[in-house]
Amino acid sequence: MIFLDNASTTRLSGRAAENLLHYSTTDFYNPSASYYAGFQNAKQIMETKALLAKHLNVKFNNNIIFTGSATEATNLAIFGSVRTSWKKAVFSAGEHPSVYNSALQLKARGIEVVFVDLDKTGAIDLEKLEAALDEDVNFISIMHVSNETGAVNNLEKIAEIKAKKCPKALFHVDGVQAFGKVSTNLETFKPDFYTISAHKFHGPKGLGALYVKNPAKLLPIIHGGGQEYNLRSGTENLPAIMALKGALEECDAWQNQKLLKTLCIYFKTELKSRLNPEIPMKILEGEGFAPHIISISFVGLKGQVLQNMCDQKGLMISTGSACSSKKMGNRVLENIGYSKDEVLGNVRISFSRYTSKEDALEGAKILAECANELWRNTR
Ligand code: PLP
């Protein structure tokens, strides 16, 4: 089987798997316990946070909160910040459902919510963003890398615009698809919140983390025993946190970037050389895209059928985001201006450092064969 759906989830790294087992079976003690072994585990969690802070280039100062998923982390950033005095919140139209649907909840509470359109590349339209921002804005959320297209938002520029138009607004960045693949140096855009998800970079599923610049201003959305500085109660998921530590120790964004870029080139070259040239194909590519995601539309074919055909031949790919694959259409691609046929013919290919060159080449071959066959059979 060839797995080219790494934007949906990734395989555990070796050290992550070792830690998951070790901290479930040997050093499994509750980190909140007041005996030595519990205390040692609490110390390990702190060290993991400090390591994560290093990857984000922020000073570690009790400002990283572990959650049960990135979805929970984005919800904590939004609903832990919202106040009855809020007037307006601004989001990119490309946000993942965890942010997008939270924005709709804010709207239901009577807050003015603006979704700023994307440009042709899938990044937020900076002119429209500037026009949407004013002194009334309390909160902005813009993803770092699109899970649908791989488009990278220019966060430095966005931070500049924000500083000019609404310096007091809180700024959340969903970094789930960015972490470990592009630079996540938060110093360059100084967000108030940054969300990551462990399972997207060879850590375990069911663990998210939220960087919070100013934890004193955040309120919890889950109440209980007061773990995570009282901001996320519930016994810490020690095995997952330690697995995340293992994944972090093995994560080198710069090395990944080089490797993933090469895999993308192999894949695209092989696909183009094998695909029937009559099939109209639209690929989002060029500068400004993350190295691990390729969004391809085979115009006139059905992405869903292609996905099934590939699956039968041992290739796993996605038709857009896994979270929205049950729904017809694709709000993000539609916002970029894709035609109905471009949306219907869209598939997403995504790599990880565990993808081999052979997998990329064989995957491209299978996809091209399936597209050629479907094209022949439907003409
Ligand atoms: N944000 C983005 C951009 C994602 O791609 C995903 C998952 O696909 C999430 C948030 C949610 O992550 P989690 O699965 O940890 O809830």
Side-chain angles (χ1 to χ4, degrees):
M1 297 296 273
I2 299 171
F3 181 64
L4 297 186
D5 190 22
N6 289 276
S8 75
T9 198
T10 58
R11 191 179 108 191
L12 270 188
S13 78
R15 221 175 282 176
E18 273 169 31
N19 283 0
L20 193 67
L21 185 65
H22 181 87
Y23 287 91
S24 303
T25 54
T26 308
D27 283 323
F28 58 86
Y29 313 102
N30 192 324
S32 296
S34 47
Y35 35 77
Y36 182 76
F39 176 72
Q40 283 302 103
N41 283 346
K43 201 169 142 216
Q44 286 287 354
I45 292 179
M46 279 304 165
E47 281 174 18
T48 306
K49 290 183 179 184
L51 182 61
L52 180 53
K54 209 166 151 195
H55 279 258
L56 298 174
N57 195 29
V58 289
K59 199 160 166 263
F60 176 55
N61 183 19
N62 298 339
N63 47 5
I64 288 177
I65 296 154
F66 286 127
T67 58
S69 61
T71 298
E72 189 192 320
T74 60
N75 273 259
L76 176 58
I78 296 169
F79 297 106
S81 298
V82 67
R83 301 290 180 266
T84 45
S85 59
W86 273 22
K87 288 186 182 158
K88 186 173 172 183
V90 174
F91 299 83
S92 96
E95 294 302 300
H96 181 269
S98 65
V99 173
Y100 190 85
N101 289 330
S102 299
L104 295 181
Q105 285 300 315
L106 293 183
K107 196 171 171 186
R109 292 185 189 186
I111 293 162
E112 182 188 350
V113 167
V114 179
F115 291 107
V116 178
D117 287 337
L118 308 174
D119 64 19
K120 283 200 302 291
T121 71
I124 193 166
D125 184 314
L126 293 176
E127 277 179 26
K128 289 188 178 171
L129 174 68
E130 184 153 6
L133 297 184
D134 56 42
E135 287 287 336
D136 280 349
V137 176
N138 304 98
F139 192 88
I140 301 172
S141 189
I142 295 170
M143 69 204 316
H144 197 161
V145 169
S146 164
N147 52 302
E148 300 275 354
T149 63
V152 183
N153 280 311
N154 185 341
L155 294 172
E156 288 84 347
K157 187 80 196 142
I158 290 167
E160 246 177 70
I161 298 172
K162 178 200 164 292
K164 196 167 73 181
K165 301 290 297 275
C166 48
K168 289 198 186 127
L170 294 169
F171 180 27
H172 170 251
V173 176
D174 172 353
V176 168
Q177 293 293 343
F179 193 86
K181 285 103 183 177
V182 303
S183 163
T184 48
N185 177 0
L186 303 196
E187 255 310 294
T188 60
F189 51 95
K190 296 187 169 57
D192 294 285
F193 305 101
Y194 194 84
T195 293
I196 66 153
S197 181
H199 73 110
K200 308 287 184 176
F201 58 96
H202 309 292
K205 293 169 186 55
L207 182 69
L210 183 68
Y211 157 76
V212 186
K213 194 197 276 173
N214 193 348
K217 290 201 175 152
L218 192 67
L219 294 174
I221 57 171
I222 293 178
H223 303 270
Q227 291 88 345
E228 297 295 281
Y229 325 110
N230 221 0
L231 285 170
R232 202 283 184 175
S233 287
T235 301
E236 298 87 341
N237 190 346
L238 174 77
I241 293 169
M242 295 315 293
L244 167 83
K245 187 172 188 221
L248 280 176
E249 285 163 357
E250 292 176 320
C251 175
D252 180 335
W254 176 238
Q255 282 297 328
N256 278 347
Q257 213 173 88
K258 277 197 295 188
L259 178 76
L260 296 169
K261 266 188 191 160
T262 315
L263 289 172
C264 269
I265 293 169
Y266 283 135
F267 183 90
K268 284 195 270 192
T269 313
E270 187 71 8
L271 178 71
K272 285 174 188 169
S273 76
R274 288 181 178 270
L275 192 73
N276 176 347
E278 285 173 22
I279 305 176
M281 183 173 62
K282 175 167 175 166
I283 301 192
L284 289 177
E285 56 189 339
E287 286 298 306
F289 287 94
H292 66 303
I293 297 178
I294 311 178
S295 170
I296 311 174
S297 289
F298 297 96
V299 189
L301 301 181
K302 294 236 175 357
Q304 191 72 65
V305 179
L306 260 181
Q307 184 198 37
N308 291 341
M309 290 171 76
C310 289
D311 199 14
Q312 278 168 24
K313 294 191 178 193
L315 170 66
M316 287 174 266
I317 58 170
S318 157
T319 47
S321 164
C323 300
S324 62
S325 64
K326 297 271 182 308
K327 292 186 205 138
M328 285 303 282
N330 182 312
R331 105 183 117 72
V332 177
L333 298 180
E334 280 159 18
N335 188 275
I336 298 174
Y338 273 44
S339 68
K340 194 165 169 254
D341 283 344
E342 287 169 345
V343 171
L344 281 178
N346 187 263
V347 294
R348 183 188 68 181
I349 313 295
S350 46
F351 307 101
S352 84
R353 69 169 190 271
Y354 290 131
T355 310
S356 65
K357 176 183 171 186
E358 290 70 35
D359 284 348
L361 293 175
E362 184 61 19
K365 181 171 160 242
I366 295 174
L367 181 59
E369 278 170 9
C370 292
N372 292 344
E373 190 186 327
L374 191 57
W375 182 260
R376 265 196 317 276
N377 294 345
T378 48
R379 292 305 106 182

